[in-house]
Amino acid sequence: MRTLVETKLPGVGNVIDPHGMQMLKDDKLLVSDFQGFEPGGCVYTVDKKTGDLQVISKDGLFTVPVSAVEDADGTIWVANADMTEQNDGEIIKVDKGGKQSVFLPWSGKNSGQIVGMLQSNKPDELVVFRCEWPNVRGNSAVFIINKKSKDMRKIFESSADDPRFYNTNGDVAGDMLWFGESVRKEIIGYNLDTNKIVATLDFRPVAGGWRGMLDSYDGIESVTVVPPIGVEQNVI
């Protein structure tokens, strides 16, 4: 284990809150850094060998950029949250030149924060995680959005009577989506082609043996599929 980055971001300042990370080609990581919950933040790449940083996009439309995904044509999709009392979220599209535009606009106060995003098993689709705290209104959800048509479909959702809290970082391995749900303390495996749950793993033995949440930190933050030793990891 070693510290990869202990430096400043060019034209931005300190590395403060590196959150969502994606492995790219050429031994690089794509990182979203929301810079301490203040309006702004940035998306940058890190060379895994040298630690060199390159800022792709910063500030502008960003409020709390908590997750970023680059697709095959170089477009970056950013989960942009509002973690104030507004409790909202949007998706920002960043082109190869670093220009930002709103892809999915704010939904309205207390609609839930967009806190995570993954490339689906289909090139034209994204998997998006929306969460709210306190999770009493039923707005937490996992949904699929088409990059071209913007059509959306929910595959998991909360309700006021049955609250859920979905993790901010999941993983797509082949046709399988893996993510955590923190109220029931479960890790869920969902087949994106058949639209069926094929695995439910009880996380309570690790999380303290009980269901429920005391606060927003009392959850499953991230789920990652680790390939077997000797198997190359999937990158775009």
Side-chain angles (χ1 to χ4, degrees):
M1 181 180 294
R2 66 187 180 94
T3 300
L4 184 62
V5 175
E6 290 182 298
T7 187
K8 292 181 179 294
L9 292 164
V12 176
N14 292 323
V15 174
I16 299 177
D17 289 301
H19 196 255
M21 296 186 187
Q22 177 194 11
M23 293 182 64
L24 303 177
K25 292 180 179 178
D26 303 322
D27 285 320
K28 291 185 178 180
L29 295 172
L30 180 70
V31 182
S32 53
D33 190 323
F34 53 88
Q35 295 281 298
F37 296 101
E38 297 296 329
C42 60
V43 175
Y44 53 90
T45 59
V46 182
D47 189 300
K48 293 193 293 180
K49 293 182 178 178
T50 66
D52 290 342
L53 303 170
Q54 180 182 358
V55 176
I56 305 299
S57 188
K58 65 175 183 176
D59 298 333
L61 298 172
F62 292 158
T63 51
V64 180
V66 288
S67 181
V69 174
E70 181 179 283
D71 61 21
D73 68 2
T75 301
I76 295 174
W77 308 85
V78 181
N80 195 41
D82 186 336
M83 296 187 179
T84 67
E85 67 277 358
Q86 191 67 20
N87 189 27
D88 201 351
E90 63 178 353
I91 297 176
I92 302 297
K93 180 179 178 180
V94 181
D95 66 21
K96 288 188 288 187
K99 181 180 179 182
Q100 303 173 1
S101 60
V102 176
F103 174 73
L104 181 70
W106 304 107
S107 298
K109 186 173 182 178
N110 289 326
S111 59
Q113 305 156 13
I114 293 182
V115 294
M117 196 155 44
L118 300 169
Q119 174 61 53
S120 178
N121 62 334
K122 298 178 177 63
D124 290 338
E125 294 182 341
L126 297 167
V127 179
V128 183
F129 298 93
R130 183 188 291 275
C131 289
E132 64 171 348
W133 187 263
N135 57 340
V136 295
R137 303 179 187 89
N139 291 323
S140 294
V142 183
F143 62 91
I144 307 292
I145 186 167
N146 188 286
K147 298 175 186 177
K148 296 178 179 179
S149 67
K150 300 185 182 181
D151 290 340
M152 292 187 293
R153 68 181 189 277
K154 288 183 180 180
I155 56 176
F156 291 87
E157 60 183 320
S158 179
S159 70
D161 295 330
D162 187 14
R164 304 297 176 94
F165 193 85
Y166 303 107
N167 67 227
T168 57
N169 297 295
D171 204 354
V172 174
D175 297 329
M176 290 292 297
L177 166 66
W178 293 92
F179 65 97
E181 196 287 301
S182 296
V183 176
R184 293 180 176 269
K185 300 293 188 293
E186 294 175 340
I187 295 175
I188 298 168
Y190 178 83
N191 190 299
L192 292 164
D193 275 350
T194 63
N195 298 316
K196 292 181 178 180
I197 297 174
V198 297
T200 303
L201 308 179
D202 189 350
F203 199 67
R204 286 178 297 169
V206 179
W210 56 283
R211 299 188 191 276
M213 297 178 67
L214 298 176
D215 54 46
S216 61
Y217 297 98
D218 185 25
I220 303 169
E221 179 74 13
S222 180
V223 174
T224 301
V225 176
V226 180
I229 295 174
V231 177
E232 184 177 354
Q233 297 190 35
N234 292 327
V235 296
I236 292 177

